[in-house]
Amino acid sequence: MLKNLTNVTVTLLGAVATSAATLPAPSMATSLVQPPFAIVPEAPTQETETKEVVPEKPKVKRLVCKGCNHNESRTLEFLQDRGVTDKNALATIMGNIRQESTFTPNICEGGARVPYHACRSGGFGTLQWTNAPRYNGLGKFAARIGGDPSTLDTQLQYMMYEGDWKMIEPYMQTPGKTIHQYMRLAQKWIRWGHHGARTDYAYNYANKLVLTEVDS
């Protein structure tokens, strides 16, 4: 009986070994499990540099003075901002200031260059404000606006503030007159006693004023 069991066991083991030997070996291609989708690495993003675009300032046409110094050019700019745009009107005003002070704001009558409070010999500044009401008016106006009465900008503002200028301003702002016509208006404004070279200076400035395109 025991011998029969042994023979059966040997026979079964042999059959199993033979079956295993006849099975094909698994291939490498089928042994790897394929993922359901492919993972593609994300390309690095490149930041785009943003540059602020500054719009260009619009151009406007204005009269500029060729060959003029800073004070002359500043006065011309100031007057145009106040609405005086006619070349002859501008030239007339500048010719009068040239006669009065050569555009020197700290000049005292006689030629001394001194601060406002040190001028005691007559007129002072770009328009040579002479009598007490006009001279003292410049000092009071400067104190009110926090300006220096010896500077060009303060004096230009005071010039526009005075009643004498306000009387002729609408006519100076109206284009189309000759230099001689504007000069008669300027005489009422400045009240000069000596004409001097005012008209010659005015014509000289008129020749130097050029209409130019500038930034607004």
Side-chain angles (χ1 to χ4, degrees), residues 11 21 25-26 34 41 56 73-74 83 94 106 117 138 168 177 189:
T11 301
Q34 295 295 329
E56 293 186 3
S73 297
R74 174 70 187 109
M94 294 179 70
N106 65 334
H117 295 289
L138 171 60
I168 69 162
K177 300 178 182 63
W189 162 43

Side-chain angles (χ1 to χ4, degrees), residues 202-216:
Y203 277 105
N204 185 42
Y205 279 120
N207 291 330
K208 294 195 290 185
L209 298 183
V210 179
L211 194 62
T212 307
E213 199 173 59
V214 299
D215 292 333
S216 61

Side-chain angles (χ1 to χ4, degrees), residues 9-186:
T9 302
V10 171
T11 301
L12 290 173
L13 289 174
V16 170
T18 300
S19 299
T22 59
L23 291 174
S27 66
M28 292 298 294
T30 58
S31 63
L32 296 177
V33 179
Q34 295 295 329
F37 55 87
I39 301 176
V40 180
E42 185 177 353
T45 58
Q46 183 178 2
E47 293 185 2
T48 303
E49 183 180 355
T50 303
K51 292 184 179 180
E52 183 180 356
V53 178
V54 180
E56 293 186 3
K57 292 183 178 180
K59 300 287 186 179
V60 295
K61 288 187 176 181
R62 301 196 75 173
L63 288 166
V64 298
C65 189
K66 299 298 184 181
C68 286
N69 63 32
H70 171 77
N71 285 355
E72 291 169 317
S73 297
R74 174 70 187 109
T75 301
L76 177 63
E77 179 184 29
F78 179 85
L79 290 169
Q80 290 181 89
D81 287 341
R82 288 286 303 190
V84 182
T85 57
D86 185 273
K87 178 188 288 191
N88 288 340
L90 292 164
T92 300
I93 296 169
M94 294 179 70
N96 276 277
I97 296 175
R98 174 77 174 77
Q99 172 68 31
E100 292 292 328
S101 65
T102 65
F103 286 86
T104 306
N106 65 334
I107 190 171
C108 192
E109 189 172 342
R113 268 67 166 173
V114 295
Y116 168 76
H117 295 289
C119 179
R120 298 299 180 190
S121 62
F124 178 79
T126 52
L127 286 188
Q128 290 294 283
W129 288 282
T130 303
N131 61 37
R134 302 187 82 184
Y135 175 85
N136 293 332
L138 171 60
K140 293 176 182 178
F141 176 81
R144 183 161 60 251
I145 68 170
D148 182 348
S150 302
T151 62
L152 177 66
D153 279 350
T154 297
Q155 290 181 17
L156 288 174
Q157 292 181 68
Y158 178 60
M159 189 172 78
M160 300 290 105
Y161 170 80
E162 279 196 297
D164 299 79
W165 167 260
K166 291 183 182 298
M167 175 180 63
I168 69 162
E169 184 175 44
Y171 304 101
M172 286 295 189
Q173 292 172 335
T174 303
K177 300 178 182 63
T178 66
I179 284 178
H180 288 281
Q181 289 172 322
Y182 284 120
M183 193 64 70
R184 286 196 290 271
L185 292 167

